[in-house]
Amino acid sequence: MSEGERKLMDDRGQYLQAATDGRDIQDADWTQCRIVLTTKRIVLIADEKQVIPLTDVDDVGGRFDVNQNAAGVANYVTLHIDDDVMLLRAPEQEAFETDLYRAFLDNTLIYVQHPAVKGGVVQGTEWQRAKVKLTDEAIKLAVADGQYVTIGRDDIGDVETDERTVDGAERRIFEVEHTDSEDRSVETHITGEGQQITILEAILEEGVERNRANLDLSPTEQQIVMALHTGVSPFDIPDFVDEDVREIEEIFDRLIELDVIETIRERTEVEMTSRGRQVASEEMGSQ
């Protein structure tokens, strides 16, 4: 390995050459190999050795189901290298993809606006440079002003994109909704240069899918979640969605189980007993 190069992963795996020189390979099949990933290259060792410098990779992520051999596999990562397309898979696919994204992103500098939005209110914060570190659980950002921002990869609620001028250049912006250290809904806006945009998009899309995979909300449940997010009181929800209180309480219980909402304070519902009515009557009679 070259000076400063570190090995991130060395494991068995498979690759499928899905396209060469812009031409799809219809009869492509998976080849067993050893995958060695470093901070500078991907090495595939089978009957022959292929070396792919990370700087040659133009795009990462997204499915490329060139045939049934590819379509029949649940998870793989797609590499676009000029006019070639390579699919890779490993026994621990999520860990492999995290290591691959780390190889591209770790310790690079991107642009960050945090918090861009807090509690639904635009904050007017300035763009700053931030150093990136990726873990299995989070995207960690060390911002130039001393902030340390953590975006949990299981905590990405939504990602919108926009085009804006940052540092004198028109850039693609990712508006990432998540929660901060005090469990408040915030948006962190991030962007980068060249290859960074491709990798950030793949990581953020995967984070959104992690959340979607765990949820199957009904239209009423979706309406309730959006109402709570925009500040409607939980006590006003029955009138807001025109549902019975008991039905809303059952929905709240389900949303709590799904970790979509949490209980802050229990409200005790009471009614008078016969003894209570007697006490009240005596009290009223004494006035």
Side-chain angles (χ1 to χ4, degrees):
M1 290 190 292
S2 62
E3 184 177 353
E5 184 176 6
R6 293 182 295 107
K7 185 186 292 185
L8 299 176
M9 175 255 193
D10 186 344
D11 201 353
R12 60 189 176 87
Q14 295 179 306
Y15 72 87
L16 184 148
Q17 187 76 45
T20 301
D21 296 328
R23 179 180 58 84
D24 291 355
I25 303 175
Q26 300 297 334
D27 61 349
D29 203 354
W30 293 98
T31 298
Q32 299 288 335
C33 67
R34 174 184 167 198
I35 301 176
V36 180
L37 172 66
T38 77
T39 51
K40 294 189 176 181
R41 72 198 75 211
I42 304 165
V43 182
L44 307 176
I45 304 171
D47 293 337
E48 297 180 352
K49 182 168 76 171
Q50 300 186 57
V51 179
I52 306 170
L54 296 183
T55 52
D56 288 355
V57 178
D58 301 310
D59 196 2
V60 177
R63 294 193 66 88
F64 194 91
D65 292 338
V66 66
N67 58 22
Q68 190 56 44
N69 292 328
V73 171
N75 295 303
Y76 59 73
V77 64
T78 304
L79 305 181
H80 294 263
I81 308 144
D82 292 328
D83 293 327
D84 295 350
V85 179
M86 180 84 72
L87 315 183
L88 300 179
R89 56 193 298 236
E92 300 295 331
Q93 186 67 22
E94 276 196 17
F96 168 54
E97 291 185 17
T98 293
D99 285 339
L100 181 62
Y101 298 149
R102 285 176 55 211
F104 286 106
L105 274 189
D106 265 10
N107 296 315
T108 65
L109 291 173
I110 64 172
Y111 296 91
V112 174
Q113 193 180 40
H114 176 86
V117 179
K118 180 165 64 177
V121 179
V122 176
Q123 299 298 296
T125 49
E126 298 292 328
W127 286 97
Q128 300 183 72
R129 300 302 295 267
K131 183 176 287 188
V132 186
K133 183 175 179 57
L134 184 68
T135 69
D136 291 338
E137 294 80 27
I139 305 166
K140 298 188 175 183
L141 306 171
V143 188
D145 67 359
Q147 292 185 88
Y148 288 93
V149 180
T150 298
I151 303 175
R153 294 174 67 181
D154 287 332
D155 183 42
I156 298 173
D158 194 18
V159 178
E160 299 288 339
T161 59
D162 195 7
E163 297 284 339
R164 278 183 248 156
T165 300
V166 179
D167 196 27
E170 190 74 9
R171 302 179 189 276
R172 190 177 183 201
I173 309 298
F174 299 105
E175 302 174 349
V176 186
E177 190 278 325
H178 62 106
T179 55
D180 64 10
S181 58
E182 298 178 16
D183 288 330
R184 297 171 301 188
S185 175
V186 298
E187 281 186 18
T188 299
H189 295 178
I190 59 179
T191 188
E193 299 178 352
Q195 203 178 56
Q196 291 175 328
I197 293 293
T198 295
I199 305 304
L200 286 169
E201 183 172 26
I203 295 168
L204 295 171
E205 285 181 350
E206 184 241 15
V208 172
E209 288 304 316
R210 285 191 188 189
N211 273 337
R212 285 179 181 164
N214 295 326
L215 299 177
D216 184 17
L217 302 184
S218 70
T220 300
E221 289 169 339
Q222 292 175 4
Q223 188 179 5
I224 288 172
V225 170
M226 289 306 300
L228 292 170
H229 181 65
T230 55
V232 176
S233 167
F235 303 132
D236 295 333
I237 290 292
D239 291 334
F240 188 84
V241 300
D242 194 23
E243 291 283 353
D244 180 77
V245 172
R246 188 177 298 277
E247 175 67 21
I248 295 301
E249 289 179 345
E250 290 177 359
I251 290 175
F252 280 172
D253 288 342
R254 168 171 153 76
L255 294 177
I256 289 169
E257 289 179 5
L258 291 172
D259 199 27
V260 174
I261 61 174
E262 61 183 352
T263 301
I264 301 300
R265 183 174 62 250
E266 295 280 1
R267 182 177 66 172
T268 303
E269 187 173 356
V270 300
E271 64 179 5
M272 297 293 289
T273 64
S274 57
R275 183 177 183 183
R277 288 191 293 271
Q278 182 180 356
V279 170
S281 296
E282 292 174 353
E283 185 65 23
M284 292 174 65
S286 66
Q287 294 180 0

